[in-house]
Amino acid sequence: MKTPPPFALHLRPATPDDDAFLFTLYASTREQQLAAWGWTPAQGEPFLRMQYQAQARHYAAKHPPEGHAIIERDGAAVGRQWLVRTPAELLLVDVALLPSQRGAGLGTHLLNAMQAEAARARVPMRLHVTRDNPALRLYTRHGFTPVPGSDPASPYLELQWWAPEGDSGTGVR
């Protein structure tokens, strides 16, 4: 039996009151990119706000809100997860953690839970990730593979995961 993680994670529905946190989280995912461009925070903020709002509108228009959740650790917001559940698949639209929470096993814990859910439902799990995203290593370690026919010129990889034969999602991998 696996030892439980040394933290208490809770998912709760995202609400409009979470907008400031979600912007901060989004901006944290773009810090390296802005630094590479040599932009100061003052230069980057208008760009980040525009990009954040475009992403928020796109996700809201394309995906049902039921799967949009705030990840809380010990009662504090530390990330977000947007998981779309259909009879045919689980689609991980987005998962992000604050920089202070990365590398502590939270992503693995969340991914294990999503994979167990997909295994119980007997559906694949699918996601898109940029080719330079450090999370790509996490996904490949957890058995995600490129979807055949993916465009090699695209900056995004479409990945999928199927539960191994006989895995009904009753145990954590």
Side-chain angles (χ1 to χ4, degrees):
M1 182 170 202
K2 196 168 186 172
T3 306
F7 43 80
L9 288 183
H10 173 72
L11 297 176
R12 65 165 176 80
T15 70
D17 291 340
D18 294 310
D19 193 61
F21 168 74
L22 290 169
F23 171 72
T24 299
L25 179 64
Y26 176 81
S28 79
T29 68
R30 306 287 301 270
E31 286 174 350
Q32 288 183 329
Q33 183 180 26
L34 293 183
W37 294 345
W39 288 11
T40 66
Q43 292 170 317
E45 185 169 347
F47 171 78
L48 289 172
R49 287 209 180 274
M50 178 186 65
Q51 292 289 301
Y52 166 71
Q53 290 167 355
Q55 182 192 67
R57 282 192 304 272
H58 172 74
Y59 285 177
K62 190 167 182 178
H63 304 294
E66 295 82 28
H68 189 198
I70 300 298
I71 303 163
E72 293 182 336
R73 179 180 182 182
D74 302 323
V78 297
R80 81 124 156 226
Q81 173 181 300
W82 199 318
L83 184 65
V84 176
R85 297 162 173 93
T86 73
E89 70 180 2
L90 259 62
L91 172 64
L92 179 57
V93 174
D94 193 17
V95 63
L97 296 167
L98 291 171
S100 64
Q101 304 299 308
R102 297 176 196 155
L106 276 72
T108 294
H109 180 77
L110 292 162
L111 194 54
N112 283 338
M114 289 181 267
Q115 287 179 301
E117 181 179 340
R120 283 191 304 274
R122 300 183 192 279
V123 297
M125 189 171 157
R126 195 170 51 91
L127 59 89
H128 290 84
V129 63
T130 56
R131 294 174 188 273
D132 63 349
N133 188 323
L136 180 57
R137 290 188 307 274
L138 173 68
Y139 298 134
T140 55
R141 276 196 322 264
H142 282 263
F144 283 82
T145 57
V147 171
S150 295
D151 179 2
S154 171
Y156 292 92
L157 275 173
E158 182 178 5
L159 302 176
Q160 65 184 354
W161 175 86
W162 287 88
E165 284 295 316
D167 182 351
S168 63
T170 55
V172 176
R173 298 160 42 102

